[in-house]
Amino acid sequence: MDKEKIKRAFRDIIEAIGEDPDREGLRDTPDRVARMYEEIFVGLNEDPRDYLDVYFEEEKYEEIVLVKDIPFHSVCEHHFVPFFGKAHVAYIPKGGRLTGLSKLARVVDVVAKRPQLQERISQTVADIIMEKLQPYGVVVVIEAEHMCMTMRGVKKPGSTTVTSAIRGIFKNDTAARAEIMSLIK
């Protein structure tokens, strides 16, 4: 990440909105923003697939595994303001190919820590789990509040956007899909 370029650009933004970038309260803001971007966009430099390389195959567990209420935050790529909420990730292991529960949360984190769309986070997390673990099926449900809807535009604080990505057995088996959705609630 080019922090010097970010600092110069943010200084220009401060000037463009009619502020004085040399004012005491703003003097260090370009540097703070550059360091913040380095932190909140760390996912640009990581491959979320790397977190699913560990398997536990001796258990032979082939029932639902659900990690609910995984907190996350991201930045809307359309307005560069935050959105945040929780992700729910479920899969049914095939042949007992289990991964550590924290690995599912790490995948969500890495995918979210990029300029993003909520819909893309849902799809990407589901696709990565299908690719790496090869389960019977995956469901990813994300609930988030978007500051681009709260602070600007329609100005509807508290509204929640829900997206899902459904793969494998959950796609056609309505009973399995209903079971997972009831567990999420």
Side-chain angles (χ1 to χ4, degrees):
M1 187 163 297
D2 189 340
K3 291 197 300 188
E4 290 305 314
K5 192 172 188 177
I6 293 169
K7 288 196 275 190
R8 288 190 305 272
F10 208 80
R11 182 177 170 83
D12 288 345
I13 289 171
I14 292 170
E15 286 177 351
I17 65 169
E19 265 288 359
D20 175 8
D22 294 317
R23 182 167 63 77
E24 182 182 16
L26 293 173
R27 194 174 306 132
D28 295 327
T29 297
D31 181 60
R32 284 190 292 269
V33 169
R35 285 183 285 121
M36 176 190 69
Y37 279 2
E38 184 176 51
E39 182 180 338
I40 67 175
F41 296 130
V42 72
L44 289 167
N45 301 314
E46 293 184 60
D47 185 346
R49 289 168 186 79
D50 292 346
Y51 290 102
L52 294 179
D53 284 342
V54 175
Y55 307 110
F56 305 100
E57 298 188 66
E58 295 178 18
E59 292 301 319
K60 304 301 179 205
Y61 183 82
E62 292 190 342
E63 303 294 330
I64 291 171
V65 175
L66 168 63
V67 180
K68 319 176 13 169
D69 300 327
I70 302 167
F72 79 94
H73 57 82
S74 192
V75 173
C76 164
E77 68 181 35
H78 294 149
H79 302 100
F80 256 61
V81 294
F83 64 97
F84 58 92
K86 41 190 181 175
H88 315 287
V89 179
Y91 74 105
I92 298 178
K94 186 186 292 181
R97 287 176 63 111
L98 296 169
T99 190
L101 300 175
S102 68
K103 305 302 184 191
L104 299 172
R106 288 189 190 283
V107 170
V108 170
D109 276 348
V110 171
V111 173
K113 289 185 177 179
R114 306 167 177 191
Q116 269 298 8
L117 298 174
Q118 180 175 330
E119 297 88 343
R120 186 182 307 124
I121 296 171
S122 302
Q123 291 178 331
T124 303
V125 170
D127 290 343
I128 289 169
I129 293 169
M130 284 298 289
E131 171 193 328
K132 293 293 286 188
L133 300 181
Q134 300 173 352
Y136 287 111
V138 174
V139 173
V140 176
V141 176
I142 296 181
E143 306 171 54
E145 183 171 351
H146 292 251
M147 293 296 98
C148 56
M149 285 187 54
T150 297
M151 298 170 54
R152 55 156 309 279
V154 71
K155 296 183 181 94
K156 297 297 179 202
S159 61
T160 302
T161 300
V162 178
T163 56
S164 67
I166 300 167
R167 305 286 186 269
I169 192 172
F170 294 111
K171 195 102 169 149
N172 297 317
D173 187 334
T174 55
R177 188 167 56 245
E179 178 182 3
I180 203 66
M181 293 305 182
S182 73
L183 289 171
I184 289 171
K185 289 182 185 179

